[in-house]
Each structure stands twice: as structure tokens, then as C-alpha cells.
Amino acid sequence: KLHRICLSDVPWSCRAMDREQQLAIFQESLGGGVDASFARDVLEAHAWDLQAALNSVLGDGGAAPAPPSSRVPTLPHSGTGNGLDGYGGGSPAVRSPMRTGYHDTLLAPISPAEERAREADRAAREAERQAELERQAEQRRREAERVHEQDLERQMQLQRQEMERQALARRLKQQEREAEEAAAAAAAA
């Protein structure tokens, strides 16, 4: 946890402190895991001006002028120099990352077993989703088939009723003709 200290809030009598006290306050302000030699180098680069050193490290913009580049502390070069190993190559133009002990725990690294378990969960969810989609498609197909069968049955019923009506109309005409023929035969006799 970072503690910000503003020396304007500190009584004047406390400002005249020895370098070990300044070093302790500087380290405490940046967090307990700050390397003492790094903290000492930063304070020396700012002529033991605690406020300027804190502003420089904590990034409080233009609160204090930047120290000359010849006085910027550098870390010993033991890495690749590309900045990816935490050392930055010892260049005074690029400040190396601070060693504060901070670890981002929002997205913790996962083990291969956890990754496999997550992938299995994703695959299972995808399989369930695919099975649900197939079930819904099959249900829609069955419903469409049922509606089609009902439509065909209704059409057959309408055709049957029409055929029965036509057969009845033919039978009535046949009976009328037979009745006319019988009346004509009775009138002729």
C-alpha cells in the first residue's frame, strides 16, 4: 500500500531529519518491499529532497523539476536490456520498474490443469448449447410436420365433403331425370 506524504503538512522541525530517517520515510511511502539501495539512489539523485524524490517516483507531474540526467540512479545491468526482465538495461534515459513487491491478483496465472478444466467446461457448455439448438430445431421440425399433417387432413376432409356434395348433386339429377322419364312414360301410356 502506498503512503503519500506531503512535506508541507509536516512541521518545520521535522523537516530537518537525518538521512536514515528520510530513507525510512521514503521506503515506507513506496511500500515495504522497496530496495534500500534503490531508495538511497533516488534520494541522492534529488539531493536528499524527500518531497522531490516522492514526486518523481510516484509520478506527481511537475511538482518538482526533474533532476539532471547525470544524477538519475540506474540499476546494475544483469538482464537482457529490453526492459522485460525488470532491469531496463541500466540506461539513465529509461527508468527501470520499481521493485515494490506489488503483484496483480485480478487475473492470477492459471495452471495447465486449471486451463484444461476451463477448456473442458467451455467444451461442455458449447456441447450443451449445440444439443439445445439441435433439440429446438428438431422440435420446430416436428411442429412444422404436425401442422403440415393437420393441413393435409383438413384438405382431404374438404375434398371428401366436396366429392360427397357432387355425388349427392349427381344422384339428385339422376332421380329428377328418372322422375321426368317416368312422368313422360305415364303420360304416353
Side-chain angles (χ1 to χ4, degrees):
K1 183 176 180 183
L2 295 178
H3 302 280
R4 292 189 182 249
I5 296 177
C6 180
L7 291 183
S8 62
D9 298 335
V10 177
W12 178 254
S13 61
C14 294
R15 290 187 188 179
M17 60 184 93
D18 69 357
R19 291 184 175 180
E20 289 305 313
Q21 289 174 323
Q22 287 179 326
L23 182 63
I25 290 172
F26 186 73
Q27 283 181 291
E28 182 182 330
S29 298
L30 296 178
V34 174
D35 185 39
S37 64
F38 173 76
R40 186 179 312 278
D41 288 344
V42 171
L43 282 168
E44 286 174 358
H46 290 85
W48 289 91
D49 182 352
L50 186 57
Q51 186 67 48
L54 284 170
N55 289 340
S56 173
V57 172
L58 296 176
D60 287 341
S69 62
S70 63
R71 298 184 64 186
V72 174
T74 59
L75 293 175
H77 178 43
S78 65
T80 60
N82 61 7
L84 299 176
D85 57 3
Y87 288 98
S91 169
V94 177
R95 181 175 61 89
S96 299
M98 296 179 348
R99 290 186 246 169
T100 62
Y102 173 76
H103 297 289
D104 187 3
T105 56
L106 294 176
L107 295 173
I110 60 174
S111 69
E114 289 174 331
E115 180 63 30
R116 285 190 300 274
R118 286 183 181 179
E119 186 59 36
D121 285 345
R122 273 186 239 129
R125 283 192 308 269
E126 180 62 26
E128 287 174 7
R129 188 182 71 78
Q130 189 65 30
E132 178 64 21
L133 290 174
E134 289 174 4
R135 187 189 64 74
Q136 289 174 357
E138 179 65 19
Q139 190 176 17
R140 285 191 300 271
R141 186 193 63 77
R142 285 182 182 169
E143 180 64 22
E145 188 175 312
R146 185 184 63 78
V147 168
H148 179 70
E149 288 174 357
Q150 286 177 344
D151 189 43
L152 287 177
E153 188 176 318
R154 190 171 33 89
Q155 287 178 3
M156 287 186 337
Q157 188 176 10
L158 289 174
Q159 286 177 352
R160 191 172 326 136
Q161 288 173 350
E162 180 62 24
M163 289 172 64
E164 288 174 355
R165 186 190 64 77
Q166 289 174 359
L168 182 62
R170 280 193 305 267
R171 201 172 320 135
L172 287 175
K173 280 188 180 183
Q174 180 68 28
Q175 287 175 354
E176 286 177 9
R177 266 186 275 158
E178 289 174 357
E180 286 176 8
E181 290 174 4

